[in-house]
């Protein structure tokens, strides 16, 4: 190796190839402004010169050529003797000692440390494998220490490590850092990823008295400080530090006992621990990777950074990688639970882009602002291990485009069902900005959107008319008569005529966010309703919600079957497939068969996970209708009485109104409350009805994709029509248009199939987590755990629909898993495909969901006691457990387990 033998600290940034990993990192720390003891680097060129001048290289290489893993100890010792015995060339010796004298006086101590070229790299750390020497004083001692560091590069442990790592043993290149020695009062190591729990949001500091050798080499007991990166709060564990490494007389180190009165005291004050954490965070951010940092405080209290190296075992890079993104699937899991196909994700991502661009424009956001933020609109969602997540930072950024963000943030979080408030960093604002800037801007926005508010009924009617006209035409098209390019154009027509006209639903959602949030505040402040139960009761019984009609239509059909003994016998005793065939074939049941056909015509697009295009619809499995009817028929016939159900809902509503208005004495407040309540009710009803339109359009999209799948299968491009869902929308359209970059669709599908099967077999990502840097690289998709212990025998959630009942629970993962007959349904989450089960249950408990989720709204309309957002629900309860649930208080009390009740 050629190049200068001596590299000085102030001679510019040092390269790893010249200064080794440790030397280059120290040089970088100096440039970043950290306190680093003065140092020089003896480059690998010095070792090369010494071996070449002495003629030792040839002998050393001969041993390395025959290196045997079984005799590596003997051969390593032979090589070390050669290196340590090689005479130091006089000119080189003078140059080294001259550089050392520049950084410290002749009577000061030096630290002589190894710095291998591949040491402290991302893949290889060599931590502790090479020798370092502390408190070295005098010319001969410094030169001897340098030779001994060189020799340590060839010790048994280092050579074995290189062989295992597949690194070369013939081209070992090592630099040596000679650094002014700090006589430390306390030393330690800071890890910018907590190695105990893997948290990238914590710095773990281990510290003790004296030199760090006591920690890294001796294994002495040390204090532990866990520092939160955001708040710098500290959790300290103070050890009894009975021993320390200090300077020995004349140089070197020795172990000494710590005086008893001092051994139990912290080695670092809280302020010192925070200063280490701040420095560690700054270093981590500068290097862009988690770091293992050695530090020392001298007796004057000055913090010195002695070295830093990447943590090669860190699973995540964390905040140091930049690009922080926050992901949450709290509410969207209701529509897209579990693993979701590439096709579905590509469709919904595109739909969200279109819909929210439309909304921003309608709400008065300037076109140039929308264009500047196109990245935000195009990235509202993410996909992790096959599951769909909100990209919350982009959602907040979208809402932040509207004036008054500080006022509407909480409303948005409530509507989306976000479990935790935002941790998105806001730009600091002057104290009065919220009132002098934000509030006037918000009032301006409200004034601008007033026209939309007063037109919401006409906008809704216009949307529904447009949708009905187009849907009626599209649903009559024979899709199999169309060719792939025609099917593609039909999909694009869906976008043009429906998605780009989605103004009314998204404007309505905005008003729901505002009025529902205001209603919650008013019921709490004016009516004393802190738990939210009164608000929920006030919203119930609105009527006119189309998404309840499928269940009500099934109840009507069940009432017909209950009055016909022969029909009832067929439905109750035969398996669903057989019962469907019997009804279709038997002339006695012709009218009822027509009812089934009519139901399938109206609602055959429905299914569990009905927004996931890959899921089979009710038309694919019509026998499921018979299973539902079989659930309705046994038991209390009053459950089939729709008029009684409506009466219960209206009674809940009247009682809530009496309680609310009885608490408000001021006529002005009563008028305000009445207006807010009316708008919240209207908004919730419109929201559900227009979401039903969304379900219908997704049903059409599903059939269009299947038709393309059948065409591709017939042409031999893919194996089965269902395989189309392993492709994305753009991949399918690009193949049709001639803009594809991959035309081997079968190979692409097989790749995706393996990947998504692994997602189904593996652990899903957490419900909420952050990613940094590249979202899919070095991120574990794990969020902080809620360690709050569950209350013994009691579960708590968000009350959604009132009613106090005691009964056995039925835990279901899917709506077609088991028969129901009046039990309390327990599920991790539900979607609109579960609604037909509701007439068969007495109560509803859901682990995931919000007060404005589809499950909550439909259950309220059907008078079913409901609680959502119950942490630990499906882990705590099993089918057969008897519980008492209170839909007003949001509590679930376990009365007895399944074994006791059986």
């Amino acid at each position: 190796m050629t190049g200068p033998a001596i590299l000085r600290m102030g001679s510019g940034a040092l390269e790893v190839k010249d200064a080794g990993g440790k030397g280059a990192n120290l040089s970088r720390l100096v440039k970043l402004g950290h306190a680093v003891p003065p140092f020089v680097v003896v480059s690998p060129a010095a070792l090369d010169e010494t071996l070449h001048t002495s003629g030792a290289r040839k002998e050393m290489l001969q041993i390395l050529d025959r290196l045997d893993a079984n005799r590596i100890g003997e051969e390593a010792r032979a090589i070390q003797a050669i290196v340590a015995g090689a005479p130091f060339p006089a000119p080189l010796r003078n140059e080294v000692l001259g550089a050392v004298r520049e950084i410290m006086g002749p009577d000061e101590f030096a630290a002589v440390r190894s710095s291998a070229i591949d040491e402290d790299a991302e893949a290889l750390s060599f931590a502790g494998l090479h020798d370092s020497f502390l408190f070295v004083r005098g010319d001969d001692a410094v030169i001897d220490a340098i030779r001994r560091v060189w020799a340590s590069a060839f010790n048994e442990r280092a050579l074995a490590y290189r062989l295992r790592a597949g690194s070369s043993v013939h081209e070992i290149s090592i630099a040596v850092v000679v650094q002014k020695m700090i006589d430390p009062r306390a030393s330690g190591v800071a890890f910018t990823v907590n190695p105990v729990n893997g948290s990238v949001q914590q710095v773990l500091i281990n510290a003790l008295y004296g030199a760090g050798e006591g920690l890294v080499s001796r294994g002495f007991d040390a204090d532990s400080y866990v520092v939160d990166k955001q708040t710098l709060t500290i959790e300290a564990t103070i050890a009894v530090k009975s021993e320390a490494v200090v300077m020995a007389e004349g140089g070197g180190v020795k172990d000494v006992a710590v005086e008893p009165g001092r051994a139990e005291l912290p080695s670092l004050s809280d302020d010192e621990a925070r200063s280490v954490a701040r420095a560690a965070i700054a270093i981590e951010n500068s290097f862009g990777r988690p770091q293992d940092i050695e530090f020392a405080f001298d007796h004057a209290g000055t913090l010195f950074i002695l070295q830093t190296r990447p943590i090669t075992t860190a699973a995540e890079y964390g905040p140091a990688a930049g690009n922080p993104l926050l992901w949450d699937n709290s509410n969207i899991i209701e529509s897209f639970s579990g693993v979701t196909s590439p096709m579905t994700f590509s469709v919904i991502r595109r739909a969200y882009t279109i819909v929210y661009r439309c909304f921003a424009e309608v709400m008065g956001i300037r076109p140039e602002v929308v264009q500047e933020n196109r990245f935000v609109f195009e990235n509202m969602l993410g996909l992790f291990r096959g599951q769909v997540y909100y990209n919350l930072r982009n959602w907040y950024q979208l809402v932040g485009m509207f004036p008054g963000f500080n006022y509407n943030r909480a409303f948005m979080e409530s509507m989306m069902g976000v479990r935790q408030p935002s941790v998105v960093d806001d730009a600091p604002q002057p104290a009065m900005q919220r009132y002098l800037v934000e509030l006037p801007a918000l009032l301006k926005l409200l004034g601008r959107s007033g026209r939309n508010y007063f037109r919401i009924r006409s906008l809704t009617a216009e949307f529904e008319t447009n949708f009905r006209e187009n849907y009626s035409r599209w649903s009559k098209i024979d899709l199999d008569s169309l060719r792939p390019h025609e099917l593609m154009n039909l999909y694009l027509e869906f976008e043009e005529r429906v998605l780009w006209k989605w103004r009314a639903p998204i404007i309505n959602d905005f008003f729901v966010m505002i009025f529902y949030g205001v209603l919650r505040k008013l019921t709490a402040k004016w009516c004393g309703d802190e738990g939210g139960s009164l608000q929920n009761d006030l919203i119930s019984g609105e009527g006119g919600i189309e998404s309840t009609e499928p269940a009500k239509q099934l109840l009507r059909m069940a009432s017909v079957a209950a009055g016909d003994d022969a029909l009832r016998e067929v439905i109750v005793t035969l398996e669903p497939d057989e019962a469907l065939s019997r009804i279709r074939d038997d002339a006695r049941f012709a009218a009822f068969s027509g009812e089934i056909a009519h139901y399938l015509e109206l609602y055959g697009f429905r299914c569990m996970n009905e927004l996931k295009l890959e899921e089979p619809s009710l038309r694919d499995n019509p026998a499921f209708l018979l299973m539902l009817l079989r659930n309705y028929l046994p038991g209390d016939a009053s459950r089939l009485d729709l008029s009684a159900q409506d009466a219960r809902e209206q009674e809940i509503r009247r009682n809530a109104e009496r309680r609310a208005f009885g608490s408000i004495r001021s006529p002005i407040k009563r008028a305000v409350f009445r207006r807010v309540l009316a708008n919240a009710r209207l908004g919730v009803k419109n929201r559900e009805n227009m979401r039903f339109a969304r379900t219908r359009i997704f049903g059409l999209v599903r059939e269009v994709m299947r038709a393309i799948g059948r065409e591709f299968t017939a042409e031999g491009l893919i194996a089965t029509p269902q395989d189309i869902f392993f492709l994305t929308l753009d991949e399918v359209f690009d193949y049709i248009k001639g803009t594809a970059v991959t035309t081997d669709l079968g190979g692409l599908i097989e790749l995706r199939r393996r990947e998504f099967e692994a997602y189904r077999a593996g652990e899903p990502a957490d419900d909420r987590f952050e990613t940094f840097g590249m979202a899919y690289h070095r991120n574990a998709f794990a969020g902080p755990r809620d360690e709050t212990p569950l209350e013994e025998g009691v579960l708590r959630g968000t009350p959604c629909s009132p009613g106090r009942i005691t009964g056995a629970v039925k835990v279901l993962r899917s709506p077609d898993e088991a028969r129901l007959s009046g039990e309390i349904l327990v599920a991790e989450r539900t979607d609109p495909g579960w609604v037909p089960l509701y007439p068969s249950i007495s109560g509803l408990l859901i682990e995931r969901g919000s007060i404005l989720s589809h499950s909550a709204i439909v259950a309220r309309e059907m008078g079913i006691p409901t609680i959502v957002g119950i942490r630990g629900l499906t882990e705590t309860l099993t089918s057969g457990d008897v519980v008492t649930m209170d839909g007003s208080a949001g509590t679930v009390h376990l009365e007895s387990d399944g074994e006791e009740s059986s």
Side-chain angles (χ1 to χ4, degrees):
M1 176 178 293
T2 59
I6 301 299
L7 305 170
R8 288 167 172 80
M9 185 175 76
S11 59
L14 303 183
E15 300 289 338
V16 173
K17 64 182 179 61
D18 299 320
K22 189 179 281 97
N25 287 345
L26 285 173
S27 171
R28 189 167 174 183
L29 289 172
V30 170
K31 186 177 181 181
L32 292 169
H34 295 280
V36 175
F39 68 92
V40 296
V41 177
V42 180
S43 79
L47 173 59
D48 290 344
E49 182 180 345
T50 299
L51 294 177
H52 177 74
T53 302
S54 66
R57 175 173 293 281
K58 181 177 180 181
E59 183 180 1
M60 186 179 72
L61 290 177
Q62 288 174 346
I63 299 175
L64 289 173
D65 286 339
R66 63 174 186 267
L67 196 63
D68 185 344
N70 296 321
R71 301 175 55 214
I72 196 168
E74 177 185 338
E75 292 165 335
R77 286 189 292 273
I79 296 172
Q80 286 185 280
I82 293 171
V83 175
F88 222 95
L92 178 61
R93 174 188 171 93
N94 293 334
E95 186 180 1
V96 168
L97 294 177
V100 171
R101 291 190 189 104
E102 289 176 12
I103 63 170
M104 59 187 193
D107 294 328
E108 292 187 272
F109 288 98
V112 182
R113 306 176 186 273
S114 66
S115 183
I117 298 306
D118 41 9
E119 184 176 3
D120 293 350
E122 281 190 46
L124 301 172
S125 75
F126 290 92
L129 295 183
H130 300 146
D131 293 339
S132 293
F133 302 94
L134 306 181
F135 296 103
V136 178
R137 184 166 60 183
D139 293 350
D140 291 341
V142 167
I143 295 299
D144 182 60
I146 292 172
R147 271 202 298 250
R148 291 165 67 188
V149 170
W150 285 342
S152 72
F154 303 91
N155 66 35
E156 180 179 355
R157 290 176 301 151
L159 290 177
Y161 183 79
R162 288 181 179 278
L163 288 175
R164 285 195 304 271
S167 182
S168 172
V169 295
H170 287 79
E171 298 179 1
I172 295 176
S173 189
I174 187 168
V176 180
V177 174
V178 182
Q179 190 170 37
K180 183 177 180 179
M181 185 72 207
I182 300 298
D183 183 15
R185 174 187 60 80
S187 303
V189 177
F191 301 94
T192 62
V193 171
N194 189 337
V196 177
N197 58 17
S199 173
V200 297
Q201 297 293 352
Q202 295 175 338
V203 177
L204 175 64
I205 302 169
N206 292 320
L208 40 56
Y209 298 126
E213 287 292 293
L215 183 65
V216 299
S217 298
R218 308 291 203 276
F220 290 167
D221 290 335
D223 298 331
S224 172
Y225 303 83
V226 177
V227 186
D228 184 275
K229 288 182 178 179
Q230 294 187 22
T231 64
L232 293 182
T233 54
I234 298 172
E235 291 183 14
T237 303
I238 306 305
V240 177
K241 299 167 289 297
S242 57
E243 295 181 275
V245 174
V246 299
M247 180 182 66
E249 293 181 11
V253 295
K254 65 178 180 179
D255 299 351
V256 298
V258 177
E259 51 270 30
R262 186 167 171 250
E264 296 84 1
L265 298 177
S267 55
L268 303 179
S269 69
D270 283 356
D271 285 343
E272 287 175 331
R274 289 191 182 94
S275 68
V276 172
R278 290 190 189 95
I281 294 168
I283 293 168
E284 180 189 48
N285 289 336
S286 299
F287 281 73
R289 299 289 186 271
Q291 297 291 303
D292 167 357
I293 301 163
E294 292 186 21
F295 66 90
F297 284 93
D298 67 11
H299 289 273
T302 303
L303 170 63
F304 289 93
I305 304 301
L306 305 181
Q307 70 175 55
T308 187
R309 63 168 68 92
I311 300 175
T312 59
T313 57
E316 299 183 88
Y317 285 155
N323 189 35
L325 298 174
L326 179 62
W327 307 94
D328 190 296
N329 70 355
S330 295
N331 204 23
I332 201 167
I333 195 173
E334 183 185 46
S335 299
F336 304 98
S337 69
V339 175
T340 297
S341 72
M343 176 61 72
T344 294
F345 179 70
S346 65
V347 167
I348 62 175
R349 182 185 174 198
R350 182 162 164 156
Y352 271 64
T353 300
I354 293 172
V355 165
Y356 283 95
R357 282 194 68 138
C358 250
F359 175 53
E361 292 167 2
V362 167
M363 296 303 289
I365 304 303
R366 299 192 311 277
E368 59 269 26
V369 174
V370 174
Q371 181 63 18
E372 287 170 5
N373 288 277
R374 60 188 179 278
F375 181 84
V376 173
F377 292 97
E378 292 167 1
N379 294 278
M380 307 288 284
L381 303 176
L383 193 71
F384 292 88
R385 294 178 186 162
Q387 298 199 29
V388 182
Y389 286 78
Y390 290 127
N391 183 340
L392 277 190
R393 287 186 178 268
N394 281 358
W395 281 91
Y396 287 117
Q397 192 166 338
L398 170 63
V399 178
M401 293 179 202
F402 299 95
F405 176 41
N406 287 326
Y407 290 87
N408 58 36
R409 174 204 301 242
F411 296 165
M412 186 201 79
E413 290 173 338
S414 174
M415 187 174 75
M416 292 175 68
V418 172
R419 289 184 173 183
Q420 301 170 351
S422 164
V423 296
V424 177
D425 297 327
D426 297 323
Q429 297 179 340
M432 295 301 295
Q433 179 162 334
R434 178 170 183 174
Y435 301 101
L436 299 180
V437 178
E438 287 283 316
L439 183 57
L442 175 60
L443 294 175
K444 185 177 180 181
L445 168 66
L446 293 177
R448 186 168 57 239
S449 61
R451 181 169 177 267
N452 289 329
Y453 164 66
F454 289 112
R455 294 174 60 234
I456 191 63
R457 285 179 172 83
S458 62
L459 288 172
T460 301
E462 180 183 332
F463 170 84
E464 290 176 343
T465 299
N466 174 69
F467 181 82
R468 278 195 301 270
E469 289 176 354
N470 284 293
Y471 183 82
S472 177
R473 177 173 59 85
W474 290 330
S475 61
K476 293 180 175 62
I477 296 175
D478 177 10
L479 298 179
D480 285 326
S481 68
L482 302 182
R483 290 167 291 184
H485 68 278
E486 293 170 324
L487 291 165
M488 176 183 70
N489 291 333
L490 182 60
Y491 175 89
L492 296 175
E493 187 180 329
F494 294 166
E495 283 190 350
E496 181 64 30
R497 294 177 179 258
V498 176
L499 286 183
W500 283 105
K501 310 292 184 185
W502 204 262
R503 293 177 175 84
I506 206 71
I507 291 171
N508 184 77
D509 275 358
F510 177 76
F511 287 123
V512 169
M513 180 177 73
I514 298 299
F515 284 111
Y516 200 82
V518 172
L519 180 62
R520 165 173 280 190
K521 289 193 172 185
L522 294 184
T523 53
K525 186 174 181 179
W526 292 353
C527 308
D529 177 47
E530 295 297 336
S533 60
L534 177 60
Q535 180 192 27
N536 295 329
D537 295 355
L538 287 167
I539 295 296
S540 67
E542 178 68 14
I545 294 182
E546 189 176 2
S547 54
T548 64
E549 284 306 307
K552 290 182 176 181
Q553 180 63 25
L554 284 173
L555 284 175
R556 297 185 189 102
M557 295 169 65
S559 296
V560 171
D564 185 328
D565 290 342
L567 179 58
R568 186 181 189 281
E569 182 73 12
V570 168
I571 294 173
V572 170
T573 60
L574 299 182
E575 290 300 313
D577 285 331
E578 188 178 354
L580 180 62
S581 297
R582 179 73 62 85
I583 291 169
R584 285 174 169 173
D585 294 341
D586 194 322
R588 293 177 299 167
F589 309 136
F592 195 79
S593 179
E595 288 292 322
I596 292 175
H598 182 62
Y599 187 93
L600 292 174
E601 181 182 352
L602 290 177
Y603 307 119
F605 56 84
R606 307 213 74 172
C607 59
M608 181 187 177
N609 292 318
E610 59 191 16
L611 298 185
K612 293 172 69 172
L613 304 176
E614 63 272 19
E615 295 288 336
S617 69
L618 195 55
R619 287 174 183 150
D620 299 315
N621 182 27
F624 184 60
L625 274 181
L626 277 298
M627 191 203 81
L628 294 172
L629 293 172
R630 185 172 65 180
N631 284 344
Y632 294 175
L633 290 174
D636 187 359
S638 65
R639 289 190 293 124
L640 306 180
D641 187 348
L642 285 173
S643 61
Q645 183 184 108
D646 290 339
R648 285 195 302 272
E649 295 169 22
Q650 292 304 314
E651 182 63 21
I652 291 170
R653 183 185 179 106
R654 285 191 295 270
N655 288 337
E657 288 175 345
R658 282 193 292 268
R659 177 184 164 192
F661 289 103
S663 302
I664 305 173
R665 301 303 180 188
S666 166
I668 295 177
K669 287 183 177 180
R670 289 168 70 93
V672 170
F673 190 88
R674 197 179 301 278
R675 173 63 64 182
V676 171
L677 175 59
N679 282 294
R681 284 171 169 172
L682 176 64
V684 169
K685 180 175 76 172
N686 287 342
R687 184 171 186 254
E688 279 302 298
N689 287 341
M690 288 186 283
R691 286 178 73 180
F692 202 60
R694 180 188 65 178
T695 299
R696 290 180 185 274
I697 200 68
F698 266 75
L700 278 176
V701 172
R702 175 186 291 111
E703 296 309 315
V704 166
M705 291 303 120
R706 285 181 171 180
I708 294 176
R710 288 190 289 272
E711 283 286 327
F712 279 20
T713 303
E715 295 297 329
L717 302 175
I718 62 179
T720 70
Q722 192 70 8
D723 283 350
I724 199 74
F725 297 110
F726 284 108
L727 302 173
T728 68
L729 189 69
D730 285 337
E731 286 166 348
V732 170
F733 286 177
D734 285 344
Y735 191 91
I736 294 170
K737 295 184 298 181
T739 54
V741 295
T742 297
T743 58
D744 180 9
L745 299 184
L748 189 55
I749 287 168
E750 285 309 306
L751 173 67
R752 295 264 171 77
R753 190 193 309 279
R754 290 193 300 272
E755 186 174 359
F756 277 72
E757 284 176 355
Y759 293 150
R760 290 187 179 89
E763 286 295 319
D766 283 357
D767 300 336
R768 183 185 177 99
F769 57 89
E770 282 186 281
T771 61
F772 301 92
M774 296 182 289
Y776 294 116
H777 179 64
R778 292 276 190 160
N779 284 295
F781 314 142
R785 299 285 189 253
D786 187 349
E787 302 294 345
T788 307
L790 295 174
E791 190 175 343
E792 184 68 28
V794 181
L795 296 171
R796 300 184 184 275
T798 302
C800 286
S801 182
R804 181 182 174 87
I805 57 172
T806 299
V809 304
K810 177 79 77 171
V811 181
L812 295 185
R813 307 291 176 184
S814 167
D816 57 1
E817 283 183 349
R819 295 184 61 175
L820 287 161
S821 183
E823 296 93 345
I824 298 171
L825 173 60
V826 171
E828 180 184 6
R829 32 73 55 198
T830 63
D831 62 45
W834 292 66
V835 170
L837 295 182
Y838 288 4
S840 306
I841 63 177
S842 57
L844 182 60
L845 302 174
I846 305 174
E847 188 163 345
R848 308 289 303 280
S850 73
I851 53 178
L852 284 178
S853 66
H854 182 85
S855 308
I857 291 170
V858 174
R860 275 199 296 268
E861 286 304 306
M862 299 181 71
I864 300 169
T866 301
I867 306 171
V868 302
I870 309 172
R871 185 170 69 90
L873 176 67
T874 54
E875 294 178 2
T876 303
L877 298 183
T878 57
S879 292
D881 290 347
V882 176
V883 303
T884 296
M885 63 169 291
D886 188 331
S888 295
T891 58
V892 182
H893 291 263
L894 179 62
E895 305 294 344
S896 62
D897 61 32
E899 292 181 355
E900 294 173 354
S901 61
S902 60

